[in-house]
Amino acid sequence: MHKHHRALGLAAASFRNALDVAQALSPVQPVTLTRPHAAARAARFFSEKFPGRSMYAVKANPSPELIQILWDNGITHFDVASIAEVRLVARTLPDATLCFMHPVKAEEAIAEAYFTHGVRVFSLDSLEELEKVQRATRHASDLTLCVRLRVSSEHSKLSLASKFGVAPHEAKALLFAARQAADALGICFHVGSQAMSPDAYAQAMERVRQAIVEAAVTVDVIDVGGGFPSVYPGMEPPALERYFEVIGRAFESLPISYSAELWAEPGRALCAEYSSLLVRVEKRRGNELYINDGAYGALFDAAHIGWRFPVKLLREPESTVRDHPFSFYGPTCDDLDHMAGPFELPADVGAGDFIEIGMLGAYGAAMRTAFNGFTSEQTVVLTDEPMASLYMDSDRSAVADMASNVVKL
Ligand SMILES: *Cc1c(COP(=O)(O)O)cnc(C)c1O
């Protein structure tokens, strides 16, 4: 079967699972494994169940294939943060709506986004940025301006609380000024990435309420940002429906016009399940495995913020030896290229073994470099399920709901 794949060219190859890839290709470089069906399922989930509009935060994974999959499954709006992301999405999806949600932009980027790519939505967190947007768009009268509030990141694994966002005592003046300049006025925030509790959004919405009441302005858009979690070892969040309920309820009770819109900017939750990584163990030293990808590859978060990803030893027959905690070294000549884990693998794992590292679709592939000559140039499509999922249960309960509706009828 793999001869057939080679004859077709690898771009067209699709495999059942990571073990098949390891056996067929014995790849010397790490291979990115994608699961288009998992990204499609996540996109449908958000477009059907979030009680507002979901736009994809492109920085989480800017792969054109992924962006196309999300579009095909109901995601029509994209949160872009740089002019390169604006151009990428405009080129990939000419009909998509782009929202430029980085609160500190180059004036040239704003002008190109507005005049060349039709971008009308911009976020900002200072009067200087408001003036910049007005100058760059020649005081356009069709802008949606979203004021970014600073909110707590206490429920999140990755803080976004210090760099951006207007402080409470300055929000009133900025909202008032933005209202004068905007066709539509929005308020946005980001609770931090991988928010482990819906309370994060409830608390942020309370901040939004205070800001609206103090500024006494009419608000047309509430944008709850990203932060929706995925599932990793030791991090099992509540069901996403719980987040949607909390956000929907808070939105309904805000003092805003009844035609106001609710937006979200999920990054991680839409793409974490989209890809994983096939790596090879080059050496074992005690409980340390030297693998061929690392901190400068797709494992930045594993190295720098101690993120744990699920791992699986790919052997047939499966190892029957008990699991044991390992740490990883990446391939570069650099002590920083170390992933503490712990990663649980059968105790007999060793040089020459292949491992699948899962849930790397968000902030994995996106951060890869070719430092020291180590990188991954090959991508292969898989048809099996991701190593963990927040969406498979919802498929099952949808089936169950349908069944109970049938009974009721
Ligand atoms: C990074 C980012 C997102 C996506 O965050 P996730 O935690 O991946 O959902 C959304 N909006 C803005 C403004 C961001 O900077």
Side-chain angles (χ1 to χ4, degrees):
M1 171 160 156
H2 76 262
K3 279 211 190 87
H4 182 60
H5 282 306
R6 285 205 175 138
L8 282 174
L10 291 166
S14 132
F15 291 82
R16 227 175 14 163
N17 56 35
L19 176 64
D20 283 3
V21 179
Q23 290 180 336
L25 307 179
S26 277
V28 175
Q29 285 191 336
V31 177
T32 304
L33 309 168
T34 64
R35 293 180 172 89
H37 61 285
R41 182 166 55 202
R44 286 195 302 273
F45 185 94
F46 267 87
S47 50
E48 286 162 17
K49 300 200 180 190
F50 182 73
R53 169 175 296 147
S54 301
M55 50 178 153
Y56 174 56
V58 172
K59 81 165 184 281
N61 187 332
S63 142
E65 291 79 19
L66 170 64
I67 288 168
Q68 182 70 50
I69 292 164
L70 298 177
W71 169 266
D72 291 342
N73 288 278
I75 303 294
T76 56
H77 288 57
F78 292 80
D79 160 10
V80 285
S82 60
I83 196 62
E85 287 182 359
V86 171
R87 292 176 192 149
L88 167 77
V89 182
R91 188 165 64 232
T92 311
L93 303 171
D95 296 328
T97 302
L98 306 184
C99 303
F100 209 150
M101 303 308 280
H102 192 309
V104 184
K105 295 167 286 299
E107 205 159 318
E108 295 84 347
I110 301 167
E112 182 182 329
Y114 182 86
F115 290 105
T116 307
H117 303 290
V119 177
R120 294 295 178 265
V121 183
F122 297 88
S123 82
L124 54 99
D125 65 358
S126 67
L127 285 168
E128 292 79 2
E129 187 75 7
L130 175 60
E131 286 161 15
K132 212 196 276 178
V133 172
Q134 289 187 281
R135 257 195 323 269
T137 61
R138 297 196 208 117
H139 295 267
S141 60
D142 58 354
L143 299 174
T144 295
L145 298 178
C146 295
V147 172
R148 168 105 166 233
L149 295 188
R150 182 175 306 171
V151 300
S152 160
S153 274
E154 66 183 295
H155 293 285
S156 302
K157 294 290 174 182
L158 246 172
S159 173
L160 275 80
S162 18
K163 190 169 180 180
F164 300 133
V166 60
H169 65 282
E170 292 165 344
K172 179 178 177 178
L174 186 56
L175 281 167
F176 198 78
R179 179 71 272 179
Q180 310 306 308
D183 176 32
L185 176 66
I187 295 183
C188 61
F189 57 80
H190 197 301
V191 298
S193 204
Q194 185 76 5
M196 292 301 291
S197 165
D199 295 347
Y201 295 89
Q203 287 168 15
M205 289 294 242
E206 230 1 81
R207 281 279 307 114
V208 170
R209 170 196 304 284
Q210 288 161 14
I212 295 173
V213 169
E214 279 167 29
V217 288
T218 306
V219 174
D220 309 296
V221 172
I222 301 293
D223 177 353
V224 300
F228 298 93
S230 186
V231 54
Y232 305 90
M235 287 190 249
E236 288 180 16
L240 286 173
E241 282 99 332
R242 290 276 305 114
Y243 292 74
F244 295 177
E245 281 159 24
V246 166
I247 290 167
R249 223 179 302 129
F251 175 71
E252 292 300 332
S253 74
L254 286 177
I256 45 181
S257 77
Y258 76 97
S259 59
E261 293 183 19
L262 174 64
W263 299 357
E265 306 164 357
R268 178 187 304 281
L270 282 176
C271 61
E273 299 177 20
Y274 174 60
S275 73
S276 63
L277 187 70
L278 177 64
V279 300
R280 189 168 74 175
V281 179
E282 304 296 5
K283 169 185 166 168
R284 173 171 175 175
R285 183 177 78 180
N287 300 331
E288 299 162 327
L289 301 179
Y290 292 63
I291 61 175
N292 60 353
D293 202 68
Y296 301 92
L299 298 173
F300 182 100
D301 283 349
H304 296 291
I305 51 174
W307 211 269
R308 290 174 62 210
F309 295 93
V311 291
K312 186 177 176 194
L313 176 60
L314 304 170
R315 266 200 217 152
E316 201 176 44
E318 273 181 35
S319 170
T320 53
V321 180
R322 275 241 219 127
D323 277 358
H324 186 84
F326 289 92
S327 65
F328 294 157
Y329 274 112
T332 68
C333 310
D334 184 339
D335 270 2
L336 274 179
D337 198 357
H338 177 253
M339 285 67 62
F343 302 100
E344 297 286 332
L345 287 161
D348 64 344
V349 60
D353 273 323
F354 285 94
I355 297 170
E356 179 178 11
I357 307 177
M359 312 302 283
L360 282 167
Y363 307 112
M367 291 197 277
R368 171 178 296 290
T369 74
F371 177 51
N372 226 177
F374 297 101
T375 192
S376 159
E377 279 150 13
Q378 195 174 8
T379 299
V380 159
V381 173
L382 302 187
T383 55
D384 68 345
E385 289 300 347
M387 290 171 73
S389 179
L390 277 186
Y391 304 104
M392 282 193 290
D393 281 351
S394 73
D395 269 10
R396 271 200 289 281
S397 60
V399 172
D401 285 351
M402 277 161 56
S404 64
N405 284 343
V406 171
V407 171
K408 268 182 239 150
L409 287 172

